[in-house]
Amino acid sequence: MATISPRYDDQNIRIGWQVRIRKRGFPQQVRTFRTKAEAEAWARSIEAEMDRGVWQDRSEAERTTVGELLDRYAREVLADKKHCTPELSRLKTLDDAFGRVAVARLTSSAIASFRDKRLRDEGRGGKPVSGQTVKHEIGLLHRVLKKAEREWGIALPMGLPTEKVQAPKLPQGRDRRLQGNEEERLLAACARARNPWLLPLTRFAIETAMRAGEMLETKGTADPETGERPIQTTGLLWKHVDLKKRTATLPMTKNGTARVVPLSSVAVEILRGLPRSMDGRVFGTTYEAIHLSFTRACKRAGIEDLRFHDLRHEATSRLFERGLNPMQVAAITGHKTLQMLKRYTHLRAEDLARLLG
């Protein structure tokens, strides 16, 4: 039974209406509203849910802010991850937008407004925030809310609001590959670079399809081209390379798992020609330095719109052109799904035509 009573301040001025619901088998529910109509509507809604057996206690969701959930997620979930810099950055963005909002008050319309605003924001380097970035942010918010509902005892009677929000439209993935004599020109320009590691690293990337962050030490600095912030790593180490077995072991990758990369005879030849550094790194340079050197090399070679990460696309496509099947290629590149592998594979129509005979 719901009881609705007026609330007064110290000067006996009515400031709202308090609803108190007492029903056997349920905890007492108390809430204050500005108008009596709002109080009556809420009371009817709660009593109807109790009668239908679908009522859930909203008190925890009303007392807890989204910011508190984000903080708890960082402490209890991300603390166990070795590489969580991107997630921490996304948590800060979400906290700026929703930190003070009660979990019970977080709506799909508010999240949709956040999505649209973020897509209009200016990101690093003056470029607009990408749809992929916004998708990652909303996806992280979804995981936080899901964790809160399933494991932290915070009921969301209206469901997960993130499920009702349409994901931002993503641009078509890059399909840039080396064309004509670009590879020859690129390698010649790399050979003239001040950074002596650029040439062997570029050749090694084309042979192995390894990510720059898997080969090189990274400081977590945002990529000036894409705005993406890589995980901090030490890069490929000699102790993880077995030239006899022709393998390179990556103890920790972007996907959070280890991977053993088979090395071609050309890749082994490249490694044999490298000097050994005292710190154990295979390539004695950094992710940030190579990106700068690579950009300059492309400019010297007269090659436009080519990024170092495009070499991973090139290498992945070449693995298929060598006759490897999707499972074999995925084992080499580390792609978790065939959908992602497809995004990195760009087979030339003229090459397929030759296969057809």
Side-chain angles (χ1 to χ4, degrees), residues 175-187 202 206 294 298 303-307 310-311 313-315 317-318 321 346 348 350-351:
D175 59 359
R176 182 68 163 92
R177 290 195 62 182
L178 295 169
Q179 305 292 331
N181 67 344
E182 283 186 337
E183 182 175 357
E184 179 182 349
R185 288 155 49 200
L186 174 63
L187 295 180
T202 299
I206 294 174
F294 187 80
C298 288
I303 299 174
E304 298 180 353
D305 190 35
L306 182 68
R307 303 172 182 172
D310 291 331
L311 301 182
H313 293 246
E314 178 70 30
S317 299
R318 290 187 182 189
E321 290 166 353
H346 314 291
R348 297 186 180 95
E350 56 268 32
D351 294 333

Side-chain angles (χ1 to χ4, degrees), residues 51 72 92 131 136 191 205 217 228 239 267 285 327 329:
D51 290 339
R72 183 174 178 180
K92 185 180 184 308
H136 283 318
E217 178 185 13
E228 295 183 358
K239 66 180 181 180
T285 186
M327 295 304 295
V329 174

